[in-house]
Amino acid sequence: MAQNRVFTDSPGAVDELAKLFAVSTPEIEEVEADLRVRLKKWLVSDDARPYRTHLADVQQALGKAAPKARLVEAADWHGKEIRALEVPGWQFVLASLPGHRLMDGWIVDGDLDELHERTRSLIINADRPPTLEQAIELVVGIGIHPEVARDWLANVPRLRILNQP
């Protein structure tokens, strides 16, 4: 159940999982809630101190938004399966990163639509239409790393940057 609800980028519907496991919907919800509580308790424990350091490094490497590949490649074990959970390491990391979600191929800290809107506002409210390099500088200011900024700008809906000198 953990890999179907907690450690996944597309959680299964609770009622479908209840049917699959032949239990009631409240039982699935209870097991999920218990798992999330246990994960949170472990994350604040002394045993998890090295992992918390790793999470801080990952958050810094991702910035406000980064392609999923950046998370997968952040450590060699992220691409390997955690056998006890039957999920890739990156999904476990994502589930334990507070406020981060995978949306449209991007790991985003917060709400994707909000970050898209913030990006569009930066570009629209510039004194004059920014060049691509100026637009990259603008989004770096909101936490997008320079090495992924061009891709970020290309993936923001209803935004077009002219590559002018």
Side-chain angles (χ1 to χ4, degrees), residues 44-143:
V44 298
S45 73
D46 287 341
D47 291 341
R49 185 174 289 124
Y51 182 68
R52 286 194 307 271
T53 300
H54 177 69
L55 284 181
D57 293 343
V58 168
Q59 282 182 294
Q60 190 169 355
L62 294 176
K64 196 70 178 158
K68 178 181 111 177
R70 196 163 171 110
L71 174 60
V72 174
E73 296 163 0
D76 60 347
W77 65 269
H78 285 192
K80 296 178 181 166
E81 181 179 302
I82 298 174
R83 289 191 184 127
L85 298 171
E86 298 178 355
V87 298
W90 71 266
Q91 284 187 319
F92 179 83
V93 172
L94 179 59
S96 49
L97 278 171
H100 289 72
R101 293 183 299 165
L102 176 63
M103 294 174 277
D104 296 334
W106 287 80
I107 306 293
V108 179
D109 180 6
D111 182 77
L112 177 65
D113 292 334
E114 226 173 77
L115 195 55
H116 280 162
E117 187 54 41
R118 197 167 168 202
T119 302
R120 280 191 295 273
S121 292
L122 276 175
I123 304 304
I124 291 167
N125 294 327
D127 292 336
R128 57 182 183 259
T131 64
L132 179 58
E133 293 307 315
Q134 291 167 334
I136 287 171
E137 288 178 27
L138 289 171
V139 296
V140 165
I142 61 170

